Amino acid sequence: GENVEQHPSTLSVQEGDSAVIKCTYSDSASNYFPWYKQELGKGPQLIIDIRSNVGEKKDQRIAVTLNKTAKHFSLHITETQPEDSAVYFCAASRQGGSEKLVFGKGTKLTVNP
Amino acid sequence: GAVVSQHPSRVICKSGTSVKIECRSLDFQATTMFWYRQFPKQSLMLMATSNEGSKATYEQGVEKDKFLINHASLTLSTLTVTSAHPEDSSFYICSVSLGGEQYFGPGTRLTVT
């Protein structure tokens, strides 16, 4: 089955700096890669996703890149703000959101003011 | 706005009792819902896929007789934890697929004393 590895487990940056979180996956049939932000005591919130027919996607300060050959994808957050502090999870799926997601272990991001 | 709601948000029950958690899709019909479990400081693990009008599909290692899932309508799935024990204490989160993406509910914190 699919295995998703995520690094780093913790990341601390200064406000205004960029943050990068990386994930690798094992199943070459996976074609959908969402990223979720989870604040303490809340459910995960979808922040951006990418499908295998696209190499990069951007939404304001957030971007995701996908390298299908190497089976890895990354989340990039620019101009970080204290409210970006949360746990971020990457995930992979074979059929978009209609099938189960396999999650990475999460990255706790702390943005210091 | 919110896509999925869960009820209750928190529940405390005594060991040996059963507790029911509801997951509702808001303003749309969901033929498939997913139930995840998240232990403290850990990632989300899929427990089962709930299909409207048919039996749920459980992940390996998840006891179907202990975690009863009923997807009685296109907007409601319920998870019943039967004969709960302290080790069942966890954060239970449901999700639904909409437009090729997966959206999560706010979660239910279950504490078994």
Side-chain angles (χ1 to χ4, degrees), chain B residues 76-87:
Chain B
L76 174 65
S77 176
T78 60
L79 168 68
T80 301
V81 183
T82 64
S83 187
H85 291 285
E87 56 264 31

Side-chain angles (χ1 to χ4, degrees), chain B:
Chain B
V3 175
V4 187
S5 70
Q6 277 185 246
H7 178 80
S9 58
R10 289 179 174 273
V11 58
I12 300 172
C13 70
K14 292 188 176 181
S15 186
T17 62
S18 297
V19 60
K20 180 184 287 186
I21 302 169
E22 293 185 347
C23 176
R24 293 182 184 274
S25 59
L26 305 176
D27 299 324
F28 70 99
Q29 296 178 335
T31 55
T32 302
M33 294 183 177
F34 303 90
W35 285 97
Y36 292 81
R37 180 168 53 182
Q38 185 178 34
F39 291 108
K41 297 186 186 297
Q42 293 190 25
S43 188
L44 289 83
M45 296 296 293
L46 181 69
M47 299 176 66
T49 302
S50 171
N51 303 296
E52 189 271 336
S54 64
K55 292 183 178 180
T57 303
Y58 290 82
E59 294 298 298
Q60 192 172 7
V62 177
E63 299 175 59
K64 63 179 181 179
D65 294 329
K66 180 171 181 60
F67 299 99
L68 302 179
I69 292 173
N70 183 13
H71 196 149
S73 76
L74 288 171
T75 59
L76 174 65
S77 176
T78 60
L79 168 68
T80 301
V81 183
T82 64
S83 187
H85 291 285
E87 56 264 31
D88 297 323
S89 298
S90 188
F91 194 48
Y92 292 86
I93 319 172
C94 69
S95 69
V96 300
S97 176
L98 178 64
E101 298 173 335
Q102 203 167 122
Y103 295 91
F104 285 81
T108 297
R109 174 74 60 193
L110 170 63
T111 302
V112 185
T113 61

Side-chain angles (χ1 to χ4, degrees), chain A residues 29-113:
Chain A
S30 289
N31 57 16
Y32 176 65
F33 308 94
W35 286 89
Y36 290 87
K37 174 183 180 183
Q38 187 178 30
E39 296 175 307
L40 193 63
K42 297 184 179 180
Q45 174 191 3
L46 178 66
I47 57 172
I48 196 167
D49 57 12
I50 191 166
R51 298 176 195 274
S52 60
N53 59 344
V54 176
E56 184 173 355
K57 184 176 178 181
K58 189 173 182 180
D59 182 4
Q60 298 184 336
R61 298 187 295 109
I62 296 173
V64 58
T65 59
L66 171 65
N67 183 326
K68 285 172 53 180
T69 303
K71 295 199 192 76
H72 68 68
F73 56 112
S74 301
L75 176 71
H76 304 252
I77 305 174
T78 59
E79 300 172 29
T80 54
Q81 301 166 3
E83 49 266 39
D84 293 329
S85 297
V87 179
Y88 290 81
F89 290 97
C90 63
S93 170
R94 284 188 167 195
Q95 289 190 21
S98 61
E99 203 172 277
K100 72 175 186 180
L101 297 174
V102 177
F103 283 85
K105 291 188 183 300
T107 297
K108 183 177 181 180
L109 173 65
T110 302
V111 180
N112 302 299

